[in-house]
Amino acid sequence: MLHEFWGLKPEIIEKAQALAAWLIAQLPADSDIAILDSTTTRAGFSVDRETAAKAVEAMEVESLTRDLPSLIQRALGLLQASNHARREIYVFTDLTARSWTTGEDELVQRITSLGEDLTTYVIVVGIERPANVALAPPTLSAEHIVPGTPLRVVSAVRSEGVPGEVDLELVIEVPDPNLPMIVNGEPVLPSVETRGRTSTTLVADASAEASFTVRGLEPGTHHGRIQLKRADALPEDNVAHFTVRVGKPARILLIAEPETYSEFISAALNPLAGTASDDSLFRCDTRRPSQVDPSQLDQYACVALVDPAPLPESLWRELHEYLRRNGSLAIILGRNAVPISEFNSVGALSVLPGRLARQYRNPGNNNLLAIPAEAHPMLSVLKSRSGTIAWNTYPVFRHWVFDDLKQSVTTVLPFTNGLPAILESRVGEGRVMTVTTPFT
């Protein structure tokens, strides 16, 4: 068995392959040999020694999909089905912690239960004292900024056994519509401009922060990276890439009747509207349903129905067509969604995620928003601040419930009662986000 993972230095994987090939050659000719690695989907014995040796030779560095304990469990399953009196496992590993993540206690018990019928060998092919500096994926002040707004880029710099000062730089690719491209089998990349330099002092086996501020980015999409000025022996993690888009603020249309809370949404999206410091990513227009011009919908990056009352069928049809043309729609349901039958019309059902059924009423204060562990990208900001938001102080007492959800509908955010708070659905090329309770 040979374990492999992304980031392993070529000379180490070659050393493991050479040792495994030598070992196979020493085994009896009638041996049953199985080669397992972190990418193995079906475990089985090779036809003969030559086939096993070729399997080892063909191995390449891949992403880690299975840890070693789970692989060894699969190997034990193969050995238990073997009729040979002598059974052995050879584990080739560099002893990295991420390769041994789960199931160690169960594994030890199972190996012990086989007693003298099994011999296990661990062959260490890693580096005794690894030394590496790695950059974490950068965090941006925003992935979309308006012209003139500075961009802040931060990356964690992790040291493994390497104390001292390291020099870093931030570079931005020079836009070129013809690059990147492949010429004679080799990639030709755009040239880069250095837009920042810094140094940081590292303590062995600890992290430090590298921060850059980039100004003067022209409108368009920009690709950049933070990199070590002097690469170490593992260059793959010496670079951290990012992408930012510079452009005009996105226009948002809020469709709302008077006496709803649309002004709060507008203020949240563009808190500095009308001031000299206005650098918001959004520009909000508010219209009553009767004022919506269907021919203008395509000018908006997103349309939002804020606590809608029953809408004309013609407006539902126009919203459906807007979605089919790759539009984005948010539906924030509230107290005005009555009578329910008006939201189950043909036009409404062409846009809504399912049939509006009833209001759920919770008399206590224990129904909360439940941020899932594997959060939707839309919730990434909330998840990163999960420890600073007191969700238990924001109970939800009433929300709408849908029945007969369409097949394409997924729950983005549930309540703690298990019912959906936010639903995502597709209409043509467009996307609909339905919120089952008001924002206020």
Side-chain angles (χ1 to χ4, degrees):
M1 176 165 23
L2 181 65
H3 189 60
E4 53 184 313
F5 60 94
W6 181 88
L8 193 62
K9 294 177 67 174
E11 55 266 34
I12 295 179
I13 188 79
E14 291 170 2
K15 176 182 177 182
Q17 286 173 309
L19 286 171
W22 174 86
L23 176 63
I24 290 171
Q26 311 309 308
L27 298 175
D30 61 346
S31 298
D32 291 331
I33 304 172
I35 307 299
L36 281 69
D37 64 27
S38 62
T39 64
T40 299
T41 55
R42 297 183 62 183
F45 290 107
S46 301
V47 176
D48 50 32
R49 287 192 307 180
E50 288 71 21
T51 305
K54 289 180 179 179
V56 170
E57 182 181 356
M59 284 184 174
E60 296 180 351
V61 176
E62 300 285 352
S63 59
L64 179 64
T65 56
R66 293 180 180 83
D67 59 17
L68 269 173
S70 63
L71 277 177
I72 296 172
Q73 290 279 18
R74 299 182 72 180
L76 291 171
L78 285 175
L79 291 179
Q80 286 182 321
S82 172
N83 295 322
H84 289 278
R86 182 177 177 181
R87 290 174 287 185
E88 300 171 333
I89 295 180
Y90 296 86
V91 182
F92 293 80
T93 175
D94 62 355
L95 294 181
T96 53
R98 66 181 243 176
S99 300
W100 301 82
T101 55
T102 59
E104 289 90 341
D105 293 340
E106 180 184 350
L107 179 62
V108 170
Q109 292 176 3
R110 190 171 179 187
I111 291 176
T112 304
S113 68
L114 294 175
E116 297 181 357
D117 294 334
L118 174 68
T119 304
T120 303
Y121 301 91
V122 178
I123 303 169
V124 179
V125 294
I127 300 172
E128 184 176 352
R129 295 180 180 176
N132 184 50
V133 176
L135 298 180
T139 300
L140 307 183
S141 55
E143 295 182 358
H144 176 197
I145 61 175
V146 297
T149 303
L151 173 71
R152 186 166 184 262
V153 187
V154 179
S155 177
V157 187
R158 172 71 183 177
S159 166
E160 186 174 359
V162 185
E165 188 172 79
V166 293
D167 298 322
L168 304 102
E169 61 184 1
L170 183 147
V171 300
I172 301 286
E173 291 183 359
V174 177
D176 188 329
N178 299 316
L179 298 176
M181 64 185 300
I182 303 296
V183 177
N184 296 325
E186 296 294 330
V188 179
L189 304 177
S191 58
V192 298
E193 294 179 342
T194 301
R195 303 297 293 269
R197 293 186 175 89
T198 190
S199 298
T200 186
T201 302
L202 299 176
V203 176
D205 303 317
S207 294
E209 187 178 272
S211 177
F212 298 85
T213 299
V214 183
R215 293 180 170 84
L217 290 175
E218 296 294 326
T221 300
H222 298 271
H223 305 290
R225 60 183 182 266
I226 298 174
Q227 59 192 22
L228 297 183
K229 289 193 67 176
R230 180 179 298 177
D232 60 18
L234 186 60
E236 287 85 355
D237 59 11
N238 293 167
V239 180
H241 297 267
F242 65 90
T243 297
V244 63
R245 186 164 66 91
V246 182
K248 295 180 180 179
R251 294 186 64 190
I252 309 296
L253 175 61
L254 304 177
I255 301 177
E257 295 284 4
E259 300 181 0
T260 61
Y261 50 88
S262 59
E263 65 272 17
F264 297 116
I265 297 177
S266 180
L269 293 174
N270 189 1
L272 300 176
T275 70
S277 302
D278 185 0
D279 61 354
S280 172
L281 301 178
F282 307 101
R283 294 288 183 271
C284 296
D285 298 329
T286 303
R287 301 283 185 272
R288 299 180 67 171
S290 59
Q291 298 172 328
V292 175
D293 183 351
S295 66
Q296 302 296 312
L297 290 178
D298 288 339
Q299 297 181 12
Y300 293 97
C302 180
V303 175
L305 297 175
V306 182
D307 193 2
L311 301 177
E313 282 289 286
S314 59
L315 183 52
W316 283 119
R317 287 195 296 269
E318 293 296 345
L319 291 172
H320 180 267
E321 291 304 311
Y322 164 72
L323 288 165
R324 290 187 61 190
R325 298 190 298 270
N326 197 30
S328 297
L329 177 65
I331 304 173
I332 308 165
L333 296 175
R335 60 184 176 85
N336 290 323
V338 290
I340 291 177
S341 59
E342 294 292 327
F343 287 81
N344 291 323
S345 66
V346 173
L349 289 175
S350 71
V351 174
L352 291 169
R355 185 176 62 84
L356 192 61
R358 64 190 182 280
Q359 273 195 22
Y360 177 94
R361 297 172 182 266
N362 189 70
N365 59 359
N366 59 348
N367 190 29
L368 312 171
L369 296 175
I371 307 298
E374 298 296 328
H376 188 279
M378 188 179 75
L379 305 177
S380 59
V381 173
L382 295 180
K383 186 178 180 184
S384 65
R385 300 178 181 176
S386 59
T388 62
I389 300 177
W391 293 113
N392 60 337
T393 62
Y394 302 101
V396 177
F397 299 101
R398 291 190 295 176
H399 65 82
W400 288 99
V401 177
F402 284 91
D403 285 342
D404 304 325
L405 292 175
K406 298 173 184 176
Q407 188 174 3
S408 63
V409 175
T410 58
T411 298
V412 173
L413 176 64
F415 295 110
T416 51
N417 64 11
L419 296 172
I422 301 178
L423 293 162
E424 180 181 29
S425 54
R426 306 288 299 195
V427 176
E429 297 297 321
R431 177 178 300 175
V432 182
M433 290 290 182
T434 304
V435 186
T436 61
T437 194
F439 281 171
T440 60

